[in-house]
Amino acid sequence: MLDDDDDDDDDDDDDLQIRAFLEKHDSTSNEFQGSNLSDPNLSWLPQVLKEFILPAGFPGSVSDDYLQYMLLQFPTNVTGWICHTLVTSSLLKAVGVGSFSGTAAAASAAAIRWVSKDGIGAVGRLFIGGRFGNLFDDDPKQWRMYADFIGSAGSIFDLTTQVYPAYFLPLASLGNLAKAVARGLKDPSFRVIQNHFAISGNLGEVSAKEEVWEVTAQLLGLSLGILILDTPGLVRSYPVLVSTWASMRLLHLWLRYLSLSALQFNTINLKRARMLVQSHILQSRVPGCIDCNRDENILLWQRFIKPRIIFGVPMEEMLGSGRSTSMNS
């Protein structure tokens, strides 16, 4: 802040100091971004491949945690598509693929059952989008993790259809409902994460490059899933199929947790605000962005007021009733 009483020479000196500070700050931040996982770790990658999978201007055009998140996200998506392949095999067996004689009636019945479970599952996305749309901006890491937990529960319903094919429609509908709810939590949360990456206003390009990573992981995961299904004895042994799926799913959840833990949000939500206040009161210090994100618990749901205070009526209603009483008197 400059005083109006300063002469021109003082103003010039202050301007030079401010300009020097800004230039020093910019050079420091650019030096930090340029050294962050750019040349040392990606020097082996061909330039053509870099341009194909990374946003233009990387690493300066995205946030510092972008590459670490994407490298952890890739095996997470691979394991997810392997699980999807294993679950699909159970669904197909439950609707009769491989057991019917190939008549038109059998094919029609299987198609009706398949489409019905998709329609019932779509209700979940309507409910999530309309009811909980305001929750994702505050804590996208937690809701993205919850989405995977709910999606895992939906896959369990899908796996049980092979054991109880007569109850295919209710089981598959519950599974698709759970996965639709998971998708309703996943998509908005990931949009917030993508917006966090796009520090240069390049959200469209960040989304497009994420699609490259996702499709590559999908192709690899589907290929590995097909290889697993071709393993002798796996397709016919239901316990082996379930144990293989459970192992891959646990690995998927662990990788998801690691990828979300790598995110470094520089905004303050309720959890990080509580950590800042608690650290300031107990230790007389304010932790930085990296410390807050590292110590943030993305699994547990926290209650921030103990004991919880419940007001009888809103303040507006109290004031409104007071006005009406005074007017009547």
Side-chain angles (χ1 to χ4, degrees), residues 114-132:
W114 192 273
V115 173
S116 298
K117 60 99 177 174
D118 287 342
I120 296 175
V123 177
R125 298 185 67 187
L126 289 175
F127 176 73
I128 292 297
R131 181 64 180 86
F132 300 104

Side-chain angles (χ1 to χ4, degrees), residues 148-173:
D148 265 17
F149 287 142
I150 298 175
S152 301
S155 296
I156 293 176
F157 285 110
D158 291 343
L159 285 173
T160 56
T161 57
Q162 184 176 344
V163 182
Y164 304 101
Y167 299 97
F168 171 82
L169 187 57
L171 289 175
S173 298

Side-chain angles (χ1 to χ4, degrees), residues 129-142:
R131 181 64 180 86
F132 300 104
N134 60 339
L135 299 177
F136 304 107
D137 291 310
D138 182 65
D139 201 350
K141 292 193 286 186
Q142 175 178 279

Side-chain angles (χ1 to χ4, degrees), residues 86-124:
L86 299 176
V87 167
T88 302
S89 67
S90 295
L91 290 172
L92 293 176
K93 288 182 180 180
V95 298
V97 175
S99 60
F100 286 123
S101 59
T103 62
S108 177
I112 291 174
R113 297 164 79 183
W114 192 273
V115 173
S116 298
K117 60 99 177 174
D118 287 342
I120 296 175
V123 177

Side-chain angles (χ1 to χ4, degrees), residues 65-231:
D65 52 2
Y66 173 80
L67 183 60
Q68 183 180 3
Y69 176 83
M70 297 307 298
L71 291 176
L72 289 169
Q73 184 79 355
F74 182 79
T76 304
N77 292 332
V78 171
T79 54
W81 281 105
I82 294 175
C83 295
H84 172 76
T85 305
L86 299 176
V87 167
T88 302
S89 67
S90 295
L91 290 172
L92 293 176
K93 288 182 180 180
V95 298
V97 175
S99 60
F100 286 123
S101 59
T103 62
S108 177
I112 291 174
R113 297 164 79 183
W114 192 273
V115 173
S116 298
K117 60 99 177 174
D118 287 342
I120 296 175
V123 177
R125 298 185 67 187
L126 289 175
F127 176 73
I128 292 297
R131 181 64 180 86
F132 300 104
N134 60 339
L135 299 177
F136 304 107
D137 291 310
D138 182 65
D139 201 350
K141 292 193 286 186
Q142 175 178 279
W143 291 111
R144 184 64 187 89
M145 195 70 218
Y146 283 1
D148 265 17
F149 287 142
I150 298 175
S152 301
S155 296
I156 293 176
F157 285 110
D158 291 343
L159 285 173
T160 56
T161 57
Q162 184 176 344
V163 182
Y164 304 101
Y167 299 97
F168 171 82
L169 187 57
L171 289 175
S173 298
L174 287 174
N176 225 39
L177 178 62
K179 288 186 288 187
V181 170
R183 186 176 179 182
L185 296 175
K186 178 194 75 173
D187 290 346
S189 300
F190 189 64
R191 295 296 174 268
V192 178
I193 294 174
Q194 286 180 328
N195 190 60
H196 159 72
F197 290 144
I199 61 174
S200 301
N202 55 342
L203 180 59
E205 186 179 14
V206 169
S207 301
K209 297 305 181 182
E210 190 277 331
E211 191 72 13
V212 174
W213 289 76
E214 166 66 22
V215 172
T216 305
Q218 177 182 356
L219 294 175
L220 180 58
L222 290 176
S223 301
L224 294 176
I226 292 174
L227 290 176
I228 293 175
L229 289 177
D230 282 341
T231 303

Side-chain angles (χ1 to χ4, degrees), residues 281-322:
I281 294 176
L282 298 180
Q283 304 175 8
S284 298
R285 72 177 187 89
V286 178
C289 173
I290 297 178
D291 294 334
C292 280
N293 283 273
R294 184 188 63 240
D295 298 336
E296 182 181 8
N297 193 328
I298 64 177
L299 296 178
L300 297 181
W301 186 279
Q302 298 184 2
R303 297 176 63 179
F304 297 96
I305 300 180
K306 293 182 179 180
R308 187 178 182 184
I309 301 175
I310 301 177
F311 295 95
V313 293
M315 185 66 69
E316 296 178 356
E317 186 175 339
M318 293 176 61
L319 296 176
S321 61

